[in-house]
């Protein structure tokens, strides 16, 4: 359910059945944010959080039924950026994830893919649909607003160089460097 809601919010998701799988996914894939349950089989969320923090500075949200103060403090001490207890609002979870991603210093994987595509094809116009298909894949269930949101964030992170990504109204985007 969480992965589906995040996908609708414009994010691609990988899911793991247990803590060991979660770490294997993190090692083998570019991951921008991690949402962990504490009570996972084989390796609990606290352990995964600690190990993930040693491997990466990615934002981590603990989402769990454990609502005690000690659990929350332990989560934060092990490197979690946020702690949400069940039951939870999927809208609030998505908002927290988006806020953490906005504040992370590096480009997200999707932003990097967009920038790489633009820079490899200077001057070429890409429709929103083309960008959705190339970057998110044909199975992506989101809307073209996903592209607009990612372009806006990418421009902000690029600072003055963000102006090289040009919007052609009702057409799409292109990367254009003027001399």
């Amino acid at each position: 359910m969480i992965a589906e809601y995040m996908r609708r919010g414009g994010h691609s998701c990988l899911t793991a059945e247990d803590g060991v799988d979660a770490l294997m996914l993190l090692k083998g894939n570019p991951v921008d944010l991690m949402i962990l349950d504490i009570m996972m089989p084989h390796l609990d969320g606290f352990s995964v959080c600690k190990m993930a923090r040693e491997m990466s500075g990615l934002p981590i949200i603990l989402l769990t039924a454990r609502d005690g103060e000690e659990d929350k403090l332990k989560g934060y001490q092990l490197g979690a950026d946020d702690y949400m207890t069940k039951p939870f609002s999927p809208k609030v979870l998505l908002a927290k994830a988006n806020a953490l991603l906005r504040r992370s210093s590096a480009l997200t994987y999707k932003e990097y893919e967009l920038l790489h595509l633009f820079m490899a094809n200077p001057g070429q116009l890409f429709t929103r649909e083309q960008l959705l298909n190339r970057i998110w894949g044909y199975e992506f269930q989101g809307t073209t607003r996903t592209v607009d949101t990612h372009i806006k964030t990418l421009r902000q992170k690029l600072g003055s160089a963000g102006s090289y990504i040009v919007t052609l109204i009702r057409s799409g985007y292109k990367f254009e460097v003027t001399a």
Side-chain angles (χ1 to χ4, degrees):
M1 176 188 85
I2 295 168
E4 182 57 33
Y5 202 85
M6 297 302 282
R7 285 185 187 104
R8 288 184 192 160
H11 303 284
S12 56
C13 298
L14 302 170
T15 57
E17 295 296 318
D18 58 49
V20 175
D21 286 344
L23 287 173
M24 296 304 290
L25 281 173
L26 182 60
K27 286 181 183 176
N29 297 281
V31 176
D32 300 321
L33 176 125
M34 182 178 266
I35 300 172
L36 288 172
D37 194 334
I38 292 173
M39 297 180 283
M40 293 188 292
H42 306 298
L43 195 60
D44 69 26
F46 286 134
S47 300
V48 174
C49 180
K50 182 178 186 225
M51 290 181 215
R53 182 57 65 228
E54 291 169 0
M55 294 169 25
S56 171
L58 83 160
I60 299 172
I61 300 174
L62 290 175
L63 178 63
T64 181
R66 294 175 68 166
D67 63 355
E69 182 177 341
E70 290 300 315
D71 288 323
K72 291 177 184 177
L73 291 171
K74 183 176 181 180
Y76 287 120
Q77 288 168 350
L78 293 172
D81 295 286
D82 207 337
Y83 193 108
M84 289 184 67
T85 56
K86 297 175 186 176
F88 66 98
S89 161
K91 288 180 183 178
V92 171
L93 176 61
L94 179 60
K96 287 182 179 216
N98 287 336
L100 285 169
L101 287 169
R102 274 193 309 274
R103 282 192 285 280
S104 61
S105 59
L107 296 180
T108 66
Y109 186 65
K110 294 298 182 194
E111 291 163 354
Y112 173 80
E113 286 187 308
L114 281 167
L115 182 59
H116 182 268
L117 179 66
F118 284 134
M119 291 180 73
N121 301 282
Q124 181 177 339
L125 173 68
F126 291 98
T127 66
R128 288 167 177 82
E129 290 79 14
Q130 287 173 319
L131 292 171
L132 273 176
N133 291 336
R134 283 190 176 204
I135 305 298
W136 283 267
Y138 289 99
E139 291 83 35
F140 181 70
Q141 299 294 318
T143 67
T144 56
R145 288 292 302 150
T146 298
V147 173
D148 299 332
T149 301
H150 278 76
I151 296 287
K152 178 183 176 189
T153 306
L154 178 58
R155 282 180 176 144
Q156 289 171 346
K157 288 183 178 181
L158 293 175
S160 61
S163 64
Y164 296 146
I165 301 173
V166 177
T167 303
L168 296 161
I169 298 173
R170 292 194 246 343
S171 296
Y173 298 97
K174 68 178 178 176
F175 188 75
E176 190 172 78
V177 179
T178 54

